[in-house]
Amino acid sequence: MFSVRGCGLWVVASLTKKHLPLARFIGDGAAPSAPNFDVVVIGGGHAGTEAAAAAARCGSRTLLLTHRVDTIGQMSCNPSFGGIGKGHLMREVDALDGLCSRICDQSGVHYKVLNRRKGPAVWGLRAQIDRKLYKRNMQKEILNTPLLTVQEGAVEDLILTEPEPEHTGKCRVSGVVLADGSTVHAESVVLTTGTFLRGVIVIGLEMHPAGRLGDQPSVGLAQTLEKLGFVVGRLKTGTPPRIAKESVNFSILNKQTPDNPSIPFSFVSETVWIKPEDQLPCYLTHTNPRVDEIVLENLHLNSHIKETTRGPRYCPSIESKVLRFPNRLHQVWLEPEGMDSELIYPQGLSVTLPAELQEKMITCIKGLEKAKMIQPGYGVQYDYLDPRQITPSLETHLVQRLFFAGQINGTTGYEEAAAQGVIAGINASLRVKHKPPFVVSRTEGYIGVLIDDLTTLGTNEPYRMFTSRAEFRLSLRPDNADSRLTFRGYKEVGCVSQQRYERASWMKSSLEEGISVLKSIEFSSSKWKKLIPEASISIVKSLPLRALDVLKYEEVDMKLLAKAVPEPLKKYVESRELAERLKIEATYESVLFHQQQQIKEVQQDEALQLPKDLDYLTLRDVSLSYEVREKLHFIRPETIGAASRIPGVTPAAIINLLRFVKTTQQKQMAIN
């Protein structure tokens, strides 16, 4: 056994350990008898909390190490969760019994479904969140999770041992060394560093080492990972200034009210904690040519925008928008930060100009003429690790039992971090139990799309989820995430509670029964027109129509259908969610059949496993170019399907690999 420091490497503590009352650290009510855990999770952000809770739900004794307990659940940037694509991830995290969706249902101040003009497959559940309330509720959840211990402290070093011969990797992690010199042994370690790896905050020409405002970066850990052989890259992001609520003239702005009724994020929430009439509005304003002038005249005072480091393409700074899209007006959403907060978050105004110029720019915007800036916007530059160095289970290729989740993998956003966190936590626990990894394929969920994109394509800019990234988005809808993932989570992993499993089972059987009943009811189109005159049913030819076909009409919902045919349909409108899901199933019935055929074809490729110990650089039994060999050696795809998605791996190479796999399988079967 040896530590990284013993190999000439070391990790600098981000903060010295603070001694808080024991009750703040212990999640299960008692201190562990020995510093020995199944899983250690480093970092208490959105990835870390999901990872720690998931590992504990799977039955592993888990330790969550965080610099400060009071920052667990902190929303470092925007006060919102969800959106287009991101709402899908939240539903899938929830289907695996993750935390963020339930906590959002207890902490939101404005709930709205985006993309309503399009089909339900691409609706985006979104909510403005009360920062203080979310943090308080998340801390309560984490500190009361059975088998989960929370400790405030910093990691000084990694403990490494010899690798397991049956797995790839140069060594195996077996614990961590803390700032006080004590050690914690663990069977698996999950690293969720956020923007802390060599993090630097930038305002104008000033640069300060920090992971986020007020927190020191982790410099040594980045060096350690680099010296272990990981390929390290650099990314940047930013956040807007915060504005005093009382200084904004809302009366002249476009007001956006929340949905009524509010749609919860979680499948187990009947409703959200707050009534629509008690929720807070958002307001819309826009930039103008004067804002462009201030940005362009002061580029020489902005080191962040001059950096070659890549920033987020889909959430750019106002400087980037002015440079990329000149002479345009840009939206600025004024969002509340909480029920009792005096701050407004100007979404779309991420900026890194000097503070005095930020104030000048803000007061040029309609409604903000007298606005008072409480905190300036700033940029963050940080290290990330090329995600092609991890497997679909999020375990690293180089170091066995070491898992990465969140921004360390090049993603941006709370939801992307949470999705990776729950998968990393599950697999860290499974690794301890010597069980096969839990992998979500891109045919099963947006989580699968996210991880497959990262592990096969990599990224050179902060990656965020969109519905357009998913090939099978008509099947991977927000409404059916439970039917796709909850049963797998319960039966294969044990991370899903009995209560959630029973609810998902009831919904599944109710949907199947409801669809069967709707198919069995059949009248002529003329009769349906008499029963439901609101529906645009053609009666030129009086053809037989099933109730399921009638439900496909835009004007018809289950409530209207049950009114026309009370027996046997009235019982299917007692549950709002069931009625809505039956409507969605009817909407997509015809196209889903064809998509399922496409999914089966992809799943056949995914079923063809590539041997994990293949040495692509020296392999003689298959004809591959050296470029292809290098890519396969670095990324190490687990299936033929994953190999086919790697840029530069040609169709000819895939055919040769396919032949090799089939020949190898035949030889193995003959031996057996």
Side-chain angles (χ1 to χ4, degrees):
M1 182 180 296
F2 57 95
S3 70
V4 176
R5 185 169 50 194
C7 301
L9 310 180
W10 51 277
V11 180
V12 174
S14 296
L15 282 174
T16 57
K17 183 177 177 180
K18 294 182 181 179
H19 297 283
L20 298 182
L22 189 62
R24 294 191 65 182
F25 295 103
I26 304 305
D28 57 3
S33 58
N36 198 322
F37 291 85
D38 297 322
V39 177
V40 167
V41 178
I42 302 169
H46 301 286
T49 49
E50 293 291 353
R57 287 198 307 277
C58 291
S60 292
R61 293 188 67 251
T62 305
L63 173 66
L64 174 61
L65 283 168
T66 178
H67 296 149
R68 289 162 49 196
V69 172
D70 61 5
T71 60
I72 288 175
Q74 183 162 314
M75 302 174 72
S76 302
C77 192
N78 52 303
S80 63
F81 261 91
I84 299 169
K86 290 172 173 281
H88 292 66
L89 288 174
M90 290 187 67
R91 274 288 174 96
E92 292 179 5
V93 170
D94 183 68
L96 293 169
D97 228 352
L99 309 180
C100 61
S101 290
R102 286 189 290 110
I103 302 300
C104 282
D105 290 342
Q106 301 164 14
S107 313
V109 295
H110 179 113
Y111 296 86
K112 199 167 193 71
V113 178
L114 308 183
N115 238 13
R116 280 277 197 183
R117 287 178 294 178
K118 297 185 179 180
V122 293
W123 287 351
L125 279 72
R126 188 179 186 278
Q128 294 300 132
I129 305 297
D130 186 312
R131 289 185 191 273
K132 291 180 183 177
L133 198 53
Y134 184 90
K135 187 161 68 168
R136 186 192 313 153
N137 288 331
M138 179 60 81
Q139 289 177 13
K140 181 180 178 182
E141 181 80 26
I142 288 293
L143 292 172
N144 289 282
T145 297
L147 296 178
L148 176 57
T149 301
V150 180
Q151 182 173 333
E152 187 175 74
V155 174
E156 274 285 341
D157 210 346
L158 299 176
I159 301 172
L160 302 175
T161 58
E162 294 298 321
E164 299 166 290
E166 66 272 22
H167 293 278
T168 58
K170 58 163 41 173
C171 56
R172 167 186 164 184
V173 69
S174 60
V176 297
V177 181
L178 302 182
D180 61 2
S182 62
T183 59
V184 178
H185 294 282
E187 297 295 317
S188 294
V189 174
V190 183
L191 195 55
T192 67
T193 54
T195 59
F196 280 74
L197 287 183
R198 279 195 284 238
V200 174
I201 281 180
V202 183
I203 303 177
L205 298 177
E206 297 179 8
M207 302 179 75
H208 307 282
R212 65 180 166 219
L213 204 62
D215 291 312
Q216 292 300 306
S218 183
V219 177
L221 186 52
Q223 294 171 344
T224 295
L225 295 169
E226 198 168 34
K227 290 176 182 177
L228 275 170
F230 288 101
V231 176
V232 180
R234 194 84 173 150
L235 294 175
K236 65 181 179 182
T237 187
T239 190
R242 308 301 194 265
I243 298 170
K245 188 176 184 177
E246 62 181 6
S247 65
V248 179
N249 182 6
F250 294 111
S251 63
I252 60 172
L253 300 178
N254 182 12
K255 183 178 180 180
Q256 184 190 60
T257 56
D259 286 346
N260 188 0
S262 300
I263 306 299
F265 283 105
S266 177
F267 288 102
V268 297
S269 299
E270 292 297 326
T271 185
V272 299
W273 75 289
I274 185 172
K275 296 177 181 178
E277 58 267 29
D278 296 328
Q279 294 176 30
L280 302 176
C282 295
Y283 293 86
L284 177 63
T285 185
H286 293 83
T287 63
N288 51 55
R290 181 60 187 139
V291 171
D292 291 20
E293 288 175 17
I294 293 172
V295 168
L296 294 172
E297 288 170 2
N298 294 283
L299 290 176
H300 63 289
L301 298 176
N302 193 333
S303 63
H304 192 66
I305 199 66
K306 291 187 285 186
E307 286 279 346
T308 56
T309 301
R310 298 293 291 270
R313 178 188 298 267
Y314 302 105
C315 186
S317 64
I318 188 62
E319 297 99 326
S320 296
K321 287 189 277 193
V322 168
L323 290 171
R324 285 169 55 189
F325 309 107
N327 305 315
R328 286 195 196 177
L329 304 184
H330 301 286
Q331 288 186 342
V332 179
W333 284 100
L334 303 181
E335 301 174 345
E337 295 219 343
M339 294 301 291
D340 59 355
S341 174
E342 295 304 317
L343 297 180
I344 288 294
Y345 181 94
Q347 178 78 263
L349 208 60
S350 174
V351 62
T352 53
L353 286 167
E356 62 275 12
L357 290 172
Q358 292 188 34
E359 282 194 286
K360 185 177 180 182
M361 180 187 70
I362 288 169
T363 54
C364 294
I365 297 172
K366 181 180 178 181
L368 304 181
E369 293 86 354
K370 298 181 180 180
K372 180 182 177 183
M373 186 176 76
I374 303 301
Q375 175 187 301
Y378 61 89
V380 184
Q381 298 168 15
Y382 58 95
D383 284 355
Y384 80 106
L385 276 66
D386 190 324
R388 292 174 294 178
Q389 300 168 104
I390 55 176
T391 70
S393 71
L394 301 184
E395 183 177 8
T396 68
H397 291 304
L398 283 174
V399 181
Q400 296 172 359
R401 298 179 179 242
L402 179 63
F403 295 78
F404 294 159
Q407 285 178 287
I408 191 173
N409 290 330
T411 59
T412 181
Y414 307 148
E415 305 82 1
E416 289 84 352
Q420 294 169 75
V422 74
I423 297 299
I426 288 170
N427 282 307
S429 178
L430 290 175
R431 194 74 163 81
V432 175
K433 301 172 183 177
H434 304 284
K435 291 184 177 181
F438 180 80
V439 175
V440 178
S441 126
R442 64 188 302 123
T443 65
E444 291 179 291
Y446 276 76
I447 291 177
V449 174
L450 166 70
I451 294 174
D452 185 68
D453 281 352
L454 292 174
T455 57
T456 59
L457 305 177
T459 186
N460 60 1
E461 62 185 30
Y463 177 105
R464 71 154 288 176
M465 180 51 66
F466 285 105
T467 53
S468 58
R469 295 191 189 273
E471 303 93 325
F472 307 113
R473 50 188 172 273
L474 299 184
S475 300
L476 310 181
R477 307 186 306 272
D479 67 280
N480 67 3
D482 57 343
S483 63
R484 291 183 278 115
L485 295 175
T486 297
F487 300 102
R488 283 196 64 198
Y490 180 81
K491 295 173 182 176
E492 297 176 30
V493 182
C495 69
V496 170
S497 69
Q498 184 69 29
Q499 176 193 0
R500 183 180 291 272
Y501 172 73
E502 288 174 359
R503 190 193 180 286
S505 298
W506 173 83
M507 181 59 71
K508 183 174 183 287
S509 61
S510 298
L511 281 170
E512 290 171 350
E513 178 189 296
I515 290 168
S516 178
V517 170
L518 288 167
K519 286 180 177 179
S520 69
I521 300 171
E522 191 174 280
F523 300 136
S524 67
S525 55
S526 55
K527 183 173 181 179
W528 278 118
K529 185 65 176 176
K530 289 178 181 177
L531 288 170
I532 311 176
E534 302 95 326
S536 55
I537 300 171
S538 173
I539 56 174
V540 176
K541 293 182 180 179
S542 190
L543 300 173
L545 281 178
R546 303 171 303 170
L548 191 68
D549 298 320
V550 176
L551 191 55
K552 294 176 184 178
Y553 285 90
E554 190 176 346
E555 310 89 349
V556 180
D557 57 17
M558 277 301 297
K559 196 172 181 180
L560 201 58
L561 202 58
K563 187 178 178 182
V565 189
E567 291 298 335
L569 296 182
K570 65 179 181 181
K571 72 175 185 177
Y572 298 108
V573 296
E574 292 172 2
S575 164
R576 176 192 55 80
E577 185 188 352
L578 175 59
E580 289 176 353
R581 289 179 68 164
L582 284 169
K583 168 70 175 176
I584 294 170
E585 290 291 339
T587 301
Y588 291 112
E589 185 205 17
S590 55
V591 293
L592 280 179
F593 175 78
H594 299 292
Q595 189 156 101
Q596 288 303 314
Q597 298 304 114
Q598 295 173 329
I599 287 174
K600 285 178 182 177
E601 291 175 10
V602 172
Q603 287 174 338
Q604 287 174 354
D605 287 343
E606 297 294 344
L608 293 169
Q609 298 282 326
L610 289 166
K612 292 184 179 180
D613 58 352
L614 271 185
D615 186 348
Y616 292 102
L617 298 179
T618 61
L619 191 64
R620 294 182 179 179
D621 298 333
V622 58
S623 175
L624 299 170
S625 70
Y626 189 72
E627 179 192 357
V628 168
R629 288 175 183 271
E630 280 188 321
K631 289 178 181 291
L632 293 171
H633 176 73
F634 179 68
I635 299 171
R636 305 204 66 80
E638 296 194 350
T639 66
I640 288 288
S644 70
R645 292 188 288 273
I646 298 172
V649 176
T650 63
I654 294 300
I655 290 171
N656 290 336
L657 267 179
L658 189 57
R659 285 179 187 150
F660 171 76
V661 170
K662 288 183 176 178
T663 302
T664 304
Q665 288 178 345
Q666 289 168 359
K667 288 179 180 178
Q668 191 63 44
M669 288 173 65
I671 293 170
N672 293 337

